[in-house]
Amino acid sequence: RTLLLLGCLWLLAAPPASSIFQRPTGTPAPPRLQYLLEPLHPTVHTQRGATATLPCVLRTLPHNYRVKWSKVEPVNYRENIIIITNGLYHKNYGPLSPRVRLRHSHRYDASLTITDVALEDEGRYRCQLVNGLEDESISLTLHLEGVVFPYQPSNGRYKFNYHEAKRACEQQDSRLATYQQLYKAWTEGLDWCNAGWILDGTVHYPIIHSREPCGGRLLLPGVRTYGARDKQKDRFDAFCFTSALQGSQVYFIRGHLNFKEAGQACRNHGAAIAKVGQLYSAWKFSQLDRCDGGWLADGSVRYPITIPRERCGGLPDPGVRSFGFPSKEMRTYGTYCFVGK
């Protein structure tokens, strides 16, 4: 009886069940979206050259509302406006302007469609609805499947300032990688001892196997960082990012060609001598596998290996192998050609 009585007294004294699980004071619940539907898939996967749609659908049509689409740039984290609409009219802004439109498949649809997706389109986008003093937004990520590769010029390592690294990647059909792209590449096996610039102006290098020349054996594997550096004065290599391009092809022409003859051989086939980024893309996405060294547009000689074997460099991991930058007069190699869509 005593235990039963004590139990009843505890139940009378206990707070209601709803109050037991209340949030701590000062931490309000995140507001529920009133005007916009939460996207089912906040990440949209696409390929370069494709058409991609970022969903943004309204629950209701408030009076005098506006929808603004913007992109968060990874270099400075600023939002660049892409398009603004009031449901009847719209206006495009910025460099994306010629390639974007509103899908508008029904009156509640404010989804953004991007045609001919480019490397620089990857990133985070925001759809914001403004209704008088009220506003709410959703964030979506456009993701391109791609490959990160280290790049240095013919005159050796650590020759690029930031701006030169950016141009070098663009010349090789790629762009400077973001930190997220470099980190993902490290998780997939990228192991490189030379530090390189990435898009936000910081410098890093990814290590899988800790070793003496690369920071020592005691440091754990990871993406090692030098932090932000002087974009004009400091010099490093570059980490470039490229993606598959729909409708393109890289193929090999056998021969004993010098650099000039290699370019002409590709042109004779209605193609162009391949760039480094194009060879990496073909290796990654088309499983291009050849034991033959071939000229590329930057004057380097490389070959792609997807199935490692003893007589093709002997290294245990797949990759694009390099013979460096031999004399352009050498008649030792074939050439890799690129045909776009």
Side-chain angles (χ1 to χ4, degrees):
R1 287 182 181 177
T2 303
L3 290 174
L4 183 59
L5 179 61
L6 288 173
C8 292
L9 289 172
W10 183 86
L11 286 172
L12 289 171
S18 61
S19 68
I20 294 174
F21 300 103
Q22 284 180 349
R23 289 177 179 271
T25 305
T27 56
R32 181 177 176 273
L33 291 174
Q34 298 180 59
Y35 301 110
L36 300 174
L37 288 174
E38 193 74 39
L40 287 176
H41 304 288
T43 299
V44 174
H45 297 266
T46 189
Q47 283 188 322
R48 188 160 50 135
T51 296
T53 297
L54 299 166
C56 184
V57 178
L58 281 61
R59 295 176 184 270
T60 183
L61 298 176
H63 292 295
N64 301 319
Y65 77 93
R66 289 181 302 133
V67 170
K68 178 178 75 174
W69 275 99
S70 55
K71 184 174 187 288
V72 182
E73 296 299 336
V75 175
N76 50 26
Y77 300 103
R78 294 178 58 183
E79 290 195 17
N80 290 337
I81 297 174
I82 299 171
I83 195 167
I84 296 178
T85 180
N86 63 1
L88 296 174
Y89 306 100
H90 70 273
K91 185 174 181 180
N92 293 18
Y93 296 85
L96 267 174
S97 180
R99 296 189 290 113
V100 296
R101 57 181 171 81
L102 294 169
R103 183 174 64 180
H104 208 63
S105 58
H106 52 80
R107 59 198 295 248
Y108 297 97
D109 186 13
S111 302
L112 181 73
T113 295
I114 304 173
T115 60
D116 195 20
V117 171
L119 290 173
E120 59 269 21
D121 296 343
E122 176 164 289
R124 188 157 61 90
Y125 291 75
R126 189 159 79 110
C127 177
Q128 180 184 19
L129 183 141
V130 179
N131 179 35
L133 297 177
E134 297 180 291
D135 76 275
E136 62 184 37
S137 63
I138 58 172
S139 290
L140 300 112
T141 299
L142 186 66
H143 175 72
L144 277 73
E145 291 295 331
V147 56
V148 171
F149 62 94
Y151 189 75
Q152 58 183 225
S154 60
N155 58 342
R157 72 172 194 161
Y158 293 176
K159 300 297 182 181
F160 293 135
N161 66 24
Y162 172 81
H163 306 287
E164 291 164 345
K166 187 171 181 290
R167 282 195 299 273
C169 287
E170 291 166 356
Q171 289 167 358
Q172 297 310 314
D173 193 45
S174 59
R175 70 190 298 241
L176 278 176
T178 65
Y179 182 81
Q180 290 78 10
Q181 290 164 346
L182 181 62
Y183 184 88
K184 183 174 184 288
W186 168 72
T187 66
E188 294 172 349
L190 182 60
D191 182 277
W192 197 255
C193 212
N194 294 345
W197 293 101
I198 64 171
L199 188 60
D200 64 2
T202 58
V203 174
H204 309 267
Y205 64 103
I207 294 295
I208 298 288
H209 307 291
S210 298
R211 51 201 186 273
E212 286 304 328
C214 305
R217 297 180 183 275
L218 298 180
L219 283 179
L220 293 174
V223 179
R224 313 263 175 82
T225 180
Y226 287 10
R229 311 298 291 190
D230 189 308
K231 291 183 178 180
Q232 292 288 353
K233 297 179 181 178
D234 289 326
R235 295 187 173 270
F236 297 95
D237 292 346
F239 285 106
C240 305
F241 171 82
T242 193
S243 178
L245 179 62
Q246 286 190 337
S248 65
Q249 180 188 9
V250 172
Y251 62 92
F252 180 74
I253 295 179
R254 189 183 298 276
H256 298 281
L257 309 170
N258 63 28
F259 177 71
K260 184 176 180 180
E261 292 166 342
Q264 187 59 52
C266 291
R267 290 191 291 275
N268 291 344
H269 285 75
I273 188 168
K275 299 178 179 181
V276 177
Q278 292 162 349
L279 183 65
Y280 267 93
S281 178
W283 164 73
K284 176 75 171 180
F285 298 104
S286 302
Q287 287 74 54
L288 184 62
D289 182 284
R290 286 206 68 104
C291 233
D292 306 282
W295 291 103
L296 296 178
D298 66 341
S300 66
V301 172
R302 306 174 195 248
Y303 62 103
I305 296 295
T306 57
I307 304 172
R309 47 209 187 269
E310 191 62 35
R311 298 183 64 182
C312 296
L315 296 175
D317 299 316
V320 175
R321 321 281 197 234
S322 175
F323 287 117
F325 294 83
S327 167
K328 291 184 177 180
E329 299 305 316
M330 288 184 64
R331 286 191 169 92
T332 307
Y333 309 104
T335 183
Y336 288 97
C337 303
F338 173 80
V339 178
K341 61 178 183 177

